[in-house]
Structure formats: C-alpha cells, structure tokens
Amino acid sequence: MEEEEAPLLEELGIIPRDILRRTLCVLTFRKVGDEMLDSMDMTGPVLILLGLGCSCLLLSGKVHFEYVYGLMTGGTFGVWALLNLMSRSKLLSIHRTISVLGYGLLPILLVSFLAPFTKLKPYVATAGVLWSTSTASRFVEEALDMQAQRYLAAYPIMLFYICFTFITVL
C-alpha cells in the first residue's frame, strides 16, 4: 500500500489557498491572523513583482526591471533594519519583511494598471501609496506588537512605496 504523497506545490512550500487569503486581506483591509503571519511565503510577493515588472511596466513601454528588483532588495533591507531597531520585544526576519512588503505592493500593481487610462495619476498614485502603507504597517504592527509605534513604522514603509509609485506612474 502506497503512502499518500503531498501535492507538489505544497512540497515546494507554495500554498495557493494561503496566497489567495493574504491577497484578499490586502485588498479588503482585513486583519491577518497570527498563523498567517507566522507562515509568510515568498511566492505571492514574487508573483506581484513579476506582475509589476513584466506586465504593467512592459505594457506601458518602460523597461525598468533592474529598478524594480533593486529597489525591492535594497528597500527591504533598509525597512527591515529600521523596524528591528524600533521593535522592543520581537525581531522581524528578513523573510517575513520581504513577504509583508511584497504583499503590500498589490495596490501599487493596481495603480500601475490604472495609470495609463486615467488623467488623475497623482490622485490614483497617492491612494495606492496610502493603501499599501496602511496594509503593510498593519501587518508589521500585528507581527511585532507595535501598536504605539504604528505611525512611526509607517513612515519608512511609505517612502518605500513612494519609490515604487514613481517608477510605475511617471
């Protein structure tokens, strides 16, 4: 009798159900549970970065892959260092920081889809940055128990997303 093997995606650590739940939490401003914060994945952020770099920027005639991936790498390390310096009790791993900031890029991805079709680019871009910042700072607040420092943590996160918005909208 053969043992039941796990599906290939689960063996690779890719769980589409969890990716969909995190994506819906970003899009609907819902809270993320502790179990979802503990098991953050890299697949969703990579797919969002590919969507941002490939489809959105290429469709608008911009070839800025190196900026997108360089900004994600450098910005994530900077935000990770600042958040760990601000946290008193817990430390945030780089893996969770990449995941949180990557899922927070989803509104910027939507803004980059809408930007070529609207004349209200500054307002749409501002809404996308605020949405991304709100989502990511809420995730960080829950992960690090930083309720008193949420707005202080939101500032470097907002600067991170403003850089992505400049790349996609301008």
Side-chain angles (χ1 to χ4, degrees):
M1 186 168 142
E2 293 182 24
E3 292 182 26
E4 295 265 338
E5 291 187 22
L8 180 61
L9 286 178
E10 287 184 19
E11 284 184 22
L12 294 173
I14 301 170
I15 304 171
R17 182 182 67 251
D18 288 347
I19 294 171
L20 182 64
R21 281 195 293 168
R22 287 184 191 96
T23 302
L24 289 175
C25 287
V26 170
L27 293 177
T28 61
F29 292 102
R30 281 190 281 159
K31 281 193 152 194
V32 179
D34 289 335
E35 71 280 350
M36 284 178 57
L37 280 173
D38 289 338
S39 66
M40 296 299 275
D41 67 318
M42 297 294 289
T43 308
V46 167
L47 290 175
I48 292 169
L49 275 177
L50 285 174
L52 185 67
C54 294
S55 63
C56 296
L57 293 176
L58 275 179
L59 289 176
S60 63
K62 301 174 186 174
V63 183
H64 297 301
F65 296 112
E66 65 274 4
Y67 295 134
V68 171
Y69 298 122
L71 182 61
M72 184 67 180
T73 304
T76 300
F77 280 112
V79 170
W80 169 73
L82 284 172
L83 291 176
N84 283 329
L85 287 172
M86 285 192 279
S87 176
R88 294 180 185 190
S89 59
K90 296 181 180 179
L91 291 179
L92 193 63
S93 69
I94 190 70
H95 179 264
R96 287 172 79 186
T97 307
I98 291 170
S99 185
V100 166
L101 294 176
Y103 276 108
L105 274 174
L106 195 58
I108 304 296
L109 178 68
L110 296 175
V111 164
S112 66
F113 273 129
L114 294 176
F117 305 111
T118 183
K119 292 183 180 183
L120 303 172
K121 285 183 185 181
Y123 301 111
V124 173
T126 303
V129 167
L130 293 176
W131 186 1
S132 294
T133 303
S134 171
T135 300
S137 64
R138 189 176 65 245
F139 285 179
V140 167
E141 172 192 354
E142 291 175 22
L144 294 177
D145 295 328
M146 295 176 62
Q147 287 78 18
Q149 296 174 322
R150 178 179 182 184
Y151 297 110
L152 186 62
Y155 181 70
I157 293 171
M158 182 177 65
L159 293 176
F160 176 75
Y161 290 129
I162 285 174
C163 293
F164 273 102
T165 305
F166 280 147
I167 292 172
T168 59
V169 174
L170 296 178

